[in-house]
Amino acid sequence: MDAQGLIELENQYGAKNYKPLDVVLKRGEGIWVWDVGGNKYMDCLSAYSAVNQGHCHPVIHDAMVQQAKKLTLTSRAFRNDQLGHFYKEICELTNSHMVLPMNSGAEAVETVIKAVRKWGYQDKGIPENKAEIIVCTNNFHGRTIAIIGFSSEDSYKEGFGPFAPGFKIIPFGDAAALDAAITPNTAGFLVEPIQGEAGVIIPAEGYLKDVRRICIEKNVALIFDEIQTGLGRTGKLLAEAHEGVEADLTLVGKALSGGFYPISAVLSNKEVLGVFMPGEHGSTFGGNPLGCAVARAAVRVLIQEGMVENAEKMGNYFLSELQKVKSPHIEEVRGKGLMIGVELKPEAEGARPFCEALMQKGLLCKETHENVIRFAPPLVITKDDIDWALERIVPVLMG
Ligand SMILES: *Cc1c(COP(=O)(O)O)cnc(C)c1O
């Protein structure tokens, strides 16, 4: 079936909760994807940073196929021979003490909310049902009812109430606001080290250090949502490393599977996760042997193939070249590693037409927050690839 037929099928039967670019992909390899008509594109979105390792990485693919032949799902009613290895490897790599595996990113967020609330009651003595979690404006932590309830974005939440209480929103990047918002009932502070969906918003240098210090002083669990920034995207394994701090709890997802499979995890440095007792939390698929084998391979190639260092080097190059572009449409170019946002002026009337023009030239990216173009290619990109991309991006930005 041709692209038009496939698009019509989607439109006829599918819910309309996305507005994708009309490119129908059927194959991917590294940074490249091909559509059903055989056209080749450079993927500069990486499935919102889930394919940091590049499309269909052969080592991850092999691990998945080998494991799929042996055992895929046991449920956590029984143990499996992959889980312990996955735990040890991810904990050693991220300097964590304990891990809880889930599937989607949103589930990891829900899990950490439960853990931090219970820790607040048990360890801090917060009165029953009074625990508060502080979050930031323009946050993105997923799409469940609890999570959208503490979003500051109307389109995420309008028409979906009522929402769960117990969350307080403060401005992002403002450590003094955190200090002021904490009460004796505050259990945790949940924040993205760089806000991805909000348009690659990077807080001022020192913010992560400041919130770390405040959370220690006030005995509040610091939670970094690194589902997008983590696993090499910003040029460090975790974005928190840019300021040399460690959260009490770190959420990873997306690239934890290299795009093969939904796998997420809550990593805990403070044994907040220790509050869970048997029966208090779970997931049928969380921690299954197939997912564990895939995650182990995905993390292994990220490290062994130097993708984190490459993200730093290539990100610096890509960013500095984009910053040289003198276009009347550009408000600001910012980024860290290979997480780059080009913010357009309001007069440019939205990033979408720019993304459509780039698609025509063989480069796929997606607007975020109306007027930001995000460039986040797989971390295996080379300098030649970036030069190829710039040859297409620069004229579109100038146009
Ligand atoms: C994508 C994302 C999530 C949600 O992950 P899902 O797998 O889509 O549920 C949560 N937090 C951040 C920062 C994300 O980028």
Side-chain angles (χ1 to χ4, degrees):
M1 194 178 278
D2 70 355
Q4 201 48 45
L6 291 164
I7 290 169
E8 277 163 24
L9 276 184
E10 279 190 33
N11 288 346
Q12 185 180 349
Y13 294 105
K16 306 283 187 290
N17 55 324
Y18 276 94
K19 188 180 159 214
L21 293 174
D22 281 334
V23 57
V24 184
L25 301 172
K26 65 178 280 188
R27 189 163 82 80
E29 192 184 318
I31 60 167
W32 302 101
V33 288
W34 286 263
D35 71 10
V36 290
N39 301 302
K40 182 182 175 183
Y41 304 85
M42 184 186 287
D43 181 2
C44 280
L45 181 69
S46 308
Y48 300 96
S49 295
V51 259
N52 284 359
Q53 297 87 338
H55 287 277
C56 298
H57 192 291
V59 173
I60 311 173
H61 170 260
D62 207 43
M64 182 163 187
V65 170
Q66 292 310 318
Q67 186 60 42
K69 289 181 192 169
K70 288 189 269 189
L71 183 68
T72 56
L73 182 62
T74 56
S75 86
R76 297 288 303 281
F78 312 119
R79 300 177 187 267
N80 71 70
D81 73 347
Q82 292 296 310
L83 192 61
H85 290 296
F86 168 60
Y87 283 1
K88 179 171 192 284
E89 288 162 14
I90 195 76
C91 281
E92 285 183 355
L93 186 68
T94 60
N95 198 20
S96 308
H97 300 155
M98 208 181 240
V99 52
L100 197 161
M102 295 294 284
N103 309 285
S104 68
E107 283 176 306
V109 175
E110 291 275 347
T111 301
V112 89
I113 292 168
K114 284 176 67 176
V116 162
R117 280 181 171 179
K118 185 154 188 230
W119 171 80
Y121 298 125
Q122 211 169 271
D123 273 50
K124 282 191 74 170
I126 295 172
E128 196 181 328
N129 291 331
K130 294 287 182 223
E132 296 166 352
I133 291 177
I134 299 174
V135 299
C136 290
T137 47
N138 299 317
N139 69 70
F140 182 83
H141 298 291
R143 299 291 197 164
T144 65
I145 288 290
I147 294 170
I148 62 169
F150 58 77
S151 171
S152 61
E153 178 71 27
D154 282 344
S155 69
Y156 291 170
K157 59 195 297 189
E158 243 172 46
F160 302 123
F163 301 116
F167 301 94
K168 198 188 260 183
I169 306 179
I170 61 166
F172 179 66
D174 183 346
L178 174 65
D179 204 29
I182 292 171
T183 74
N185 291 344
T186 305
F189 175 50
L190 169 64
V191 65
E192 300 152 85
I194 295 172
Q195 290 185 325
E197 295 316 295
V200 189
I201 309 295
I202 306 171
E205 176 109 34
Y207 177 64
L208 302 183
K209 260 198 191 117
D210 288 343
V211 302
R212 175 65 285 182
R213 178 182 43 79
I214 292 164
C215 286
I216 289 173
E217 279 168 12
K218 303 213 163 164
N219 194 24
V220 167
L222 176 61
I223 311 151
F224 284 153
D225 179 345
E226 296 240 24
I227 292 167
Q228 189 163 150
T229 54
L231 303 171
R233 174 52 57 190
T234 69
K236 301 274 186 205
L237 185 70
L238 296 172
E240 64 178 22
H242 288 290
E243 295 199 17
V245 298
E246 279 187 20
D248 298 305
L249 299 124
T250 302
L251 311 179
V252 289
K254 294 201 164 110
L256 187 53
S257 71
F260 280 80
Y261 199 91
I263 307 169
S264 65
V266 180
L267 302 166
S268 168
N269 277 342
K270 211 174 146 191
E271 269 112 54
V272 175
L273 279 180
V275 299
F276 281 129
M277 290 297 132
E280 291 179 348
H281 193 59
S283 160
T284 303
F285 279 82
N288 73 74
L290 183 60
C292 289
V294 168
R296 293 177 68 196
V299 172
R300 202 164 58 236
V301 299
L302 198 72
I303 303 302
Q304 282 180 356
E305 298 180 16
M307 293 180 196
V308 183
E309 295 78 11
N310 193 59
E312 181 178 26
K313 250 194 261 151
M314 292 301 120
N316 286 342
Y317 176 64
F318 201 177
L319 182 66
S320 67
E321 290 301 305
L322 285 170
Q323 281 171 335
K324 287 180 196 160
V325 180
K326 295 274 167 284
S327 159
H329 304 303
I330 297 180
E331 176 76 37
E332 187 185 36
V333 179
R334 54 180 177 259
K336 219 161 217 161
L338 282 168
M339 188 171 186
I340 297 172
V342 175
E343 183 174 340
L344 303 174
K345 294 204 162 89
E347 308 88 85
E349 290 180 353
R352 177 87 180 190
F354 290 84
C355 295
E356 282 167 356
L358 286 169
M359 180 176 85
Q360 295 306 324
K361 290 180 177 289
L363 191 143
L364 296 180
C365 56
K366 189 72 170 34
E367 78 276 10
T368 172
H369 261 237
E370 302 298 321
N371 57 352
V372 179
I373 312 172
R374 174 172 33 193
F375 293 107
L379 311 185
V380 295
I381 198 166
T382 65
K383 181 169 176 294
D384 284 349
D385 298 328
I386 292 174
D387 289 335
W388 185 97
L390 287 165
E391 277 168 35
R392 281 140 189 92
I393 294 168
V394 175
V396 167
L397 286 174
M398 296 302 295

